[in-house]
Amino acid sequence: MRKLMICLIILCGYSLQASDFHSPRTLALGGSGHAGPLLNDAIFLNPSYSSFLPTYSMGMNYLAFSGDTSSTNDPVSKGKNYSFSIQDGRSELFQAGAAYTVRGDGKFVHIGASKSFVNRFGFGLGGKFFFNDKEHTAGRDASFSTTSVLAEWMQASLIVDNIFETTEGKNRGLYREYTLGLKLNGKSMVMGYVDPHLCPNSPDGKKYGYEAGVEFVMMSDFFLRLGMFKNAGIPFQAARGRGYGAGVGWIAPRISFDYGFSRVIEPVIATVHAMGATVYF
């Protein structure tokens, strides 16, 4: 246990965790799913959940977006993001993952580590480094998260993101945020996600927001997803706004494929498409 605490303290001291990249599933669910991320999504959404995912997985995601240049004086141009990730949920000491992400405003490395107790409660520390580019300087920050399985039909999580709220992070729109994640399981036929959040120092003054989504199990291995968000983080814009999403996913014995679509309404109008695959065993 002492070694575990030392490792987690090191991670916290040198990094940060945030939803700085939306996978196809997260995009389709409107950014929600913090209380029940699938496979490597835990690295971005809630590192404490990796303890509930006893698999070794490698993932790759690609996102492309285009903006409506007539809708604003500060339009979003066409662009793309991508991410590569790896996660080990089978280690007995603690579970961990890492991801390399490229966005329009720079490159990120995310790290997450977690440990569970009695298979019903877990805590984790996540982190990231962000690097120099033409407009931003390098920096780092930290986050903390917990997950609890309250009942067979309900899970909850609490994430404190961007704990140190550094100047370098705020230049990329990374402000401290508190997120309560809730997952409701309707007999494994439909899952609902509600993630209200608070950003006390939001630069636009909109402190409160939410992400919400629903996931339908159409067959044992095929999923239909819908979601919406308001005053929530939009990673590819490095901003906060509102919109909606939709998508599908297919899970095979050793690989999963996902597609997500999102329409951003504020602060600019933009259309987003994302696709990805994850190999796990």
Side-chain angles (χ1 to χ4, degrees):
M1 180 60 69
R2 184 178 179 181
K3 291 182 179 179
L4 169 63
M5 293 304 297
I6 292 173
C7 290
L8 293 179
I9 290 170
I10 290 173
L11 283 174
C12 186
Y14 289 94
S15 58
L16 165 154
Q17 146 64 17
S19 181
D20 300 314
F21 180 84
H22 281 172
S23 73
R25 179 176 184 257
T26 303
L27 190 73
L29 291 173
S32 67
H34 290 79
L38 183 65
L39 298 172
N40 294 20
D41 286 356
I43 300 171
F44 297 100
L45 295 178
N46 176 8
S48 68
Y49 200 77
S50 62
S51 294
F52 301 93
L53 300 167
T55 61
Y56 187 85
S57 52
M58 296 176 287
M60 180 176 65
N61 293 295
Y62 173 84
L63 180 150
F65 61 89
S66 59
D68 181 352
T69 57
S70 66
S71 64
T72 174
N73 292 326
D74 184 23
V76 175
S77 61
K78 293 182 179 180
K80 58 185 178 182
N81 297 174
Y82 58 86
S83 179
F84 302 93
S85 59
I86 185 170
Q87 181 167 273
D88 183 2
R90 300 190 301 183
S91 172
E92 294 183 1
L93 180 60
F94 64 91
Q95 296 71 51
Y100 174 72
T101 303
V102 177
R103 305 191 331 187
D105 60 347
K107 299 178 178 65
F108 294 71
V109 171
H110 292 78
I111 303 172
S114 69
K115 182 67 177 179
S116 66
F117 300 93
V118 297
N119 296 321
R120 299 188 71 86
F121 178 80
F123 73 93
L125 294 171
K128 76 182 160 204
F129 300 95
F130 39 94
F131 302 96
N132 289 322
D133 66 5
K134 295 180 180 179
E135 299 180 1
H136 306 91
T137 56
R140 57 179 183 254
D141 207 312
S143 77
F144 174 77
S145 66
T146 64
T147 297
S148 179
V149 180
L150 303 176
E152 291 185 2
W153 57 274
M154 186 176 185
Q155 297 173 188
S157 64
L158 176 64
I159 301 101
V160 183
D161 199 6
N162 301 326
I163 292 175
F164 300 117
E165 200 174 53
T166 65
T167 299
E168 296 84 1
K170 288 190 291 186
N171 289 337
R172 285 180 163 88
L174 305 176
Y175 289 80
R176 186 179 301 117
E177 188 170 54
Y178 304 87
T179 301
L180 173 64
L182 297 173
K183 176 183 177 180
L184 305 176
N185 188 338
K187 297 183 179 180
S188 298
M189 300 283 293
V190 58
M191 276 76 73
Y193 304 91
V194 181
D195 299 354
H197 50 77
L198 167 66
C199 184
N201 299 318
S202 176
D204 60 8
K206 299 177 180 179
K207 299 181 179 180
Y208 302 98
Y210 67 86
E211 295 122 335
V214 61
E215 192 169 36
F216 299 96
V217 183
M218 307 303 292
M219 295 181 285
S220 62
D221 57 357
F222 185 78
F223 300 84
L224 173 64
R225 298 157 182 152
L226 302 170
M228 61 185 297
F229 57 93
K230 183 177 181 180
N231 297 338
I234 305 172
F236 75 87
Q237 292 181 341
R240 304 170 65 83
R242 68 183 180 96
Y244 57 88
V248 294
W250 177 62
I251 298 179
R254 289 289 183 269
I255 190 169
S256 69
F257 296 97
D258 297 281
Y259 165 77
F261 163 86
S262 181
R263 181 69 169 172
V264 179
I265 301 173
E266 292 179 352
V268 299
I269 296 176
T271 301
V272 192
H273 298 274
M275 60 188 69
T278 304
V279 178
Y280 62 95
F281 47 90

